[in-house]
Amino acid sequence: MKTMKKFGFTAMAALAIALSSCSSDSDGGSGSNAATYINASVDGTAFETFEVQGQSSASASRIVSGSDTFITITGVSSTTDAMEIVLHNITATGTYPAGPSNDLTLVYSATSSQMAYASDADCTGATGTVTVTSISDTKIEGTFSFTGKTDDCTGQKAVTNGKFRGTFAN
């Protein structure tokens, strides 16, 4: 299962590059003009969604199936590290907890170590929050922070000052 999770995350990062957004709009000073982005600090080091000629390496999707809503925002940095926000049945503004028993997952994947650090790892201290400040059928914005742990609970990353915007591709 751990291998499948890592494979799925790598596939999502590759998909983020393939489905990158081509438009931009003003963000009111959040640090990016891209339509979709994820920016944060990982253990004190800046993580910023990579842009090439105005195109973001981030993607966002919103899928509604019956009474379920799935929102995924994925961003890739210039060092090919990746960050992903996965929300299940989050349809209103508010602050939501992330952890092993919640419908919300935050993941940071470090390319150099080939390790994923997730808020939903079944480890003590794997936790976080997402604050959705704006949500519609076409876009979501907010802030986040989390402590991500590796599957074996031996590695940890603190992700702080996170900001995101997802303009849905579908």
Side-chain angles (χ1 to χ4, degrees):
M1 185 65 173
K2 293 176 188 177
T3 303
M4 288 300 292
K5 186 175 183 180
K6 289 178 186 175
F7 174 79
F9 186 76
T10 302
M12 287 300 298
L15 183 62
I17 294 170
L19 296 176
S20 62
S21 174
C22 296
S23 64
S24 65
D25 57 5
S26 175
D27 68 347
S30 70
S32 177
N33 286 326
T36 297
Y37 67 86
I38 298 176
N39 295 336
S41 178
V42 179
D43 284 344
T45 301
F47 174 97
E48 295 183 354
T49 301
F50 185 57
E51 292 183 41
V52 176
Q53 297 180 347
Q55 291 191 356
S56 173
S57 65
S59 68
S61 67
R62 177 179 175 268
I63 298 170
V64 178
S65 178
S67 62
D68 288 325
T69 301
F70 299 92
I71 296 174
T72 303
I73 305 111
T74 305
V76 179
S77 72
S78 62
T79 61
T80 66
D81 290 348
M83 200 161 310
E84 184 173 42
I85 301 168
V86 181
L87 310 172
H88 178 228
N89 289 333
I90 305 294
T91 58
T93 60
T95 300
Y96 301 92
S101 60
N102 301 79
D103 286 340
L104 188 153
T105 302
L106 302 161
V107 181
Y108 168 72
S109 179
T111 304
S112 61
S113 65
Q114 298 181 349
M115 298 298 292
Y117 303 86
S119 66
D120 68 345
D122 195 14
C123 307
T124 301
T127 186
T129 60
V130 170
T131 300
V132 176
T133 57
S134 174
I135 188 168
S136 71
D137 289 344
T138 60
K139 185 170 34 173
I140 186 170
E141 293 186 68
T143 61
F144 67 95
S145 64
F146 71 100
T147 300
K149 300 271 188 146
T150 57
D151 284 337
D152 64 4
C153 303
T154 61
Q156 174 176 305
K157 294 286 183 185
V159 179
T160 58
N161 302 316
K163 297 179 183 180
F164 67 92
R165 176 190 303 140
T167 300
F168 305 128
N170 50 343

